[in-house]
Amino acid sequence: MEKYIKTPLTDEAIESLSAGDYVYITGTIYSARDAAHKRMYEATLKGEEVPFPIKDSLVYYLGPTPEKEGQVIGSAGPTTSSRMDKYTPLLMEKGLKGMIGKGKRSNEVMEAVVKNKGIYFAAVGGAGALLSKKIKSSKVIAYDDLGTEAIRELYVENFPVIVVIDCAGNNLYDIAVNEFLNSQK
């Protein structure tokens, strides 16, 4: 099913989504990868705030290539989500509602998604040049010293993703495997 949502994420929007839905996101999202997640996690442990409004926010696991003249951003494909797994449950407790990346997540992240009524989306890996066309603005807002891993505030229009883990804990990867195995009987 195709759905269109806006950020910041609301419980109502998240509850309307199911594993396997094709979703188009419009609004502000934030990019962060491994090094930025580590810093945010450590800041949170010290009682400090993260460098963007985390409540109801959506983070894209992205380290874009440098933009060429006339571009808002370079290639903007997702990075492997599991590298952020140890940081995600705490960030979700602080208000993070959703993540965009690629690949499987740990059981701890799946539990945090359900507990915090969150969502995990996948963007198509290998399609970074096409995805970048859906990013209408990009500016570094924190951790500039990390280069491509700096936190960016992005404005996206109809950014295409697929729901992998919905707020009820349904996991598209498990569903797809089970459907395949059942079709082989």
Side-chain angles (χ1 to χ4, degrees), residues 64-83:
T65 62
E67 66 271 7
K68 294 180 181 160
E69 189 172 328
Q71 290 182 318
V72 170
I73 196 167
S75 184
T79 197
T80 304
S81 302
S82 61
R83 295 199 314 255

Side-chain angles (χ1 to χ4, degrees), residues 89-110:
L90 179 62
L91 294 175
M92 291 194 80
E93 282 179 28
K94 297 298 180 183
L96 179 67
K97 278 296 197 179
M99 298 82 49
I100 303 169
K102 67 179 181 183
K104 290 188 171 191
R105 304 307 299 265
S106 68
N107 287 333
E108 293 79 13
V109 170
M110 288 181 55

Side-chain angles (χ1 to χ4, degrees), residues 41 61 81-82 84-93 99 104-118 120 165 169 171:
Y41 180 82
Y61 301 145
S81 302
S82 61
M84 274 54 76
D85 280 2
K86 75 183 212 177
Y87 310 118
T88 300
L90 179 62
L91 294 175
M92 291 194 80
E93 282 179 28
M99 298 82 49
K104 290 188 171 191
R105 304 307 299 265
S106 68
N107 287 333
E108 293 79 13
V109 170
M110 288 181 55
E111 290 168 8
V113 166
V114 172
K115 177 182 174 189
N116 297 288
K117 200 180 284 185
Y120 170 55
I165 302 171
N171 184 330

Side-chain angles (χ1 to χ4, degrees), residues 90-168:
L90 179 62
L91 294 175
M92 291 194 80
E93 282 179 28
K94 297 298 180 183
L96 179 67
K97 278 296 197 179
M99 298 82 49
I100 303 169
K102 67 179 181 183
K104 290 188 171 191
R105 304 307 299 265
S106 68
N107 287 333
E108 293 79 13
V109 170
M110 288 181 55
E111 290 168 8
V113 166
V114 172
K115 177 182 174 189
N116 297 288
K117 200 180 284 185
I119 195 141
Y120 170 55
F121 299 106
V124 178
L130 295 172
L131 291 170
S132 70
K133 294 181 184 331
K134 298 296 182 179
I135 300 172
K136 303 304 178 184
S137 69
S138 169
K139 68 178 176 180
V140 173
I141 60 167
Y143 311 147
D144 191 31
D145 62 303
L146 296 178
T148 60
E149 289 201 37
I151 295 179
R152 294 172 181 264
E153 181 180 274
L154 307 172
Y155 185 81
V156 298
E157 289 181 358
N158 293 322
F159 191 86
V161 294
I162 300 167
V163 177
V164 176
I165 302 171
D166 63 29
C167 67

